[in-house]
């Protein structure tokens, strides 16, 4: 099973600033990576798939990058609605999720 | 509009059986995989397994294999997740979601509580 490790566990950032979230795979996943946002009491929402492709309706301030085993979700000019938990998900082989990064207001 | 509508919350006793559902609408149900994801209280997301409703091809995460059954009835655009014998540790929120390259649409979740 491919293990997905996200860092940091919690990230404190002020509104208007940028945030960078990381996700590392225990082996190469060939760009088969998605990112999700989850707010309390809600289902997750797809943000990015194919490591860098924004899902329909996702604001341009969200961007994904990376390949092989190292991936990044960047959020620029943080809005109040962006503070949530973010998960990465590899679907290259026996899908697995990362443990999540909580993005909180500083 | 694509929608996945899940069945309501359930309260069960250990050892009981359960089948929860996920009804798709607004798209071709047989053309997209449906996956199931577990979220235990206060915890992260766990991928459980996936089904292709067109031919019922199913894949299970090894740690869930043998404990759950995923099925689909394409005549009514519905996927199912079932247990034959629930355990207290099955208490969680369960989501269905569409897709194989990123889960693009999600159901609202079904809360399952298993308690004696």
């Amino acid at each position: 099973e491919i293990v997905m490790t996200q860092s940091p566990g919690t990230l404190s950032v002020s509104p208007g600033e940028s945030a960078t979230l990381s996700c590392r795979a225990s082996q190469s996943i060939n760009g088969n990576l998605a990112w999700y946002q989850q707010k309390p009491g809600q289902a997750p929402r797809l943000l990015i798939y194919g490591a860098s492709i924004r899902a329909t309706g996702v604001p341009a301030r969200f961007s994904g990058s990376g390949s092989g085993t190292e991936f990044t979700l960047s959020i620029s000019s943080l809005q109040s609605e962006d503070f949530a938990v973010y998960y990465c998900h590899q679907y290259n082989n026996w899908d697995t999720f990362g443990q999540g990064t909580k993005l909180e207001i500083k | 509009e694509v929608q996945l509508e899940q069945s309501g919350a359930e309260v069960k006793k250990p050892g009981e059986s359960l089948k929860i559902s996920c009804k798709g609408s607004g798209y071709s149900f047989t053309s997209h995989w449906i996956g199931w994801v577990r979220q235990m209280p206060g915890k992260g997301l766990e991928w459980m397994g996936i089904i292709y409703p067109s031919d019922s091809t199913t894949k299970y995460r090894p740690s869930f294999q043998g404990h759950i059954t995923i099925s689909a009835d394409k005549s009514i655009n519905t996927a199912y997740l079932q247990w034959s014998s629930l355990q207290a540790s099955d208490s969680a929120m369960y989501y269905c979601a569409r897709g194989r390259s990123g889960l693009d649409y999600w159901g609202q979740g079904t809360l399952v509580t298993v308690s004696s």
Side-chain angles (χ1 to χ4, degrees):
Chain A
E1 179 176 290
I2 296 175
V3 177
M4 304 300 290
T5 303
Q6 293 186 241
S7 60
T10 302
L11 184 59
S12 299
V13 184
S14 298
E17 295 186 338
S18 297
T20 300
L21 289 65
S22 296
C23 177
R24 172 179 291 176
S26 59
Q27 63 189 74
S28 177
I29 57 173
N30 299 310
N32 293 318
L33 183 100
W35 289 94
Y36 304 87
Q37 176 193 69
Q38 188 179 33
K39 298 179 181 179
Q42 296 185 17
R45 170 196 179 195
L46 177 66
L47 299 174
I48 301 286
Y49 63 97
S52 62
I53 303 168
R54 270 191 305 277
T56 302
V58 175
R61 64 180 182 272
F62 291 90
S63 63
S65 63
S67 62
T69 61
E70 300 283 345
F71 299 87
T72 298
L73 174 68
S74 299
I75 314 170
S76 62
S77 188
L78 279 162
Q79 308 293 302
S80 57
E81 62 265 29
D82 299 335
F83 292 94
V85 179
Y86 291 83
Y87 294 95
C88 61
H89 162 215
Q90 71 80 17
Y91 47 88
N92 188 66
N93 185 20
W94 294 111
D95 303 42
T96 48
F97 289 92
Q99 81 279 18
T101 290
K102 182 179 181 180
L103 180 58
E104 64 176 26
I105 299 175
K106 186 175 182 179
Chain B
E1 179 192 6
V2 175
Q3 287 190 326
L4 294 174
E5 185 68 28
Q6 296 188 232
S7 50
E10 301 274 1
V11 179
K12 292 289 189 180
K13 291 181 167 51
E16 291 187 332
S17 62
L18 176 64
K19 192 173 189 178
I20 62 175
S21 66
C22 169
K23 183 175 178 61
S25 61
Y27 73 101
S28 174
F29 186 73
T30 54
S31 298
H32 296 264
W33 292 81
I34 292 283
W36 288 93
V37 176
R38 182 174 77 175
Q39 188 166 38
M40 301 179 78
K43 302 299 184 183
L45 306 173
E46 297 175 273
W47 188 86
M48 302 174 70
I50 201 162
I51 189 165
Y52 192 64
S54 178
D55 60 7
S56 289
T57 297
T58 309
K59 301 181 181 182
Y60 295 94
R61 185 176 181 179
S63 57
F64 287 95
Q65 181 106 38
H67 186 55
I68 60 166
T69 301
I70 295 171
S71 60
D73 184 341
K74 61 185 179 182
S75 69
I76 54 172
N77 291 355
T78 302
Y80 301 97
L81 174 63
Q82 69 180 89
W83 298 258
S84 59
S85 181
L86 285 161
Q87 303 168 3
S89 57
D90 293 317
S91 294
M93 180 71 81
Y94 293 88
Y95 294 102
C96 65
R98 188 187 82 161
R100 197 65 194 96
S101 300
L103 299 165
D104 59 356
Y105 288 91
W106 292 66
Q108 81 277 21
T110 296
L111 182 64
V112 174
T113 303
V114 184
S115 175
S116 55

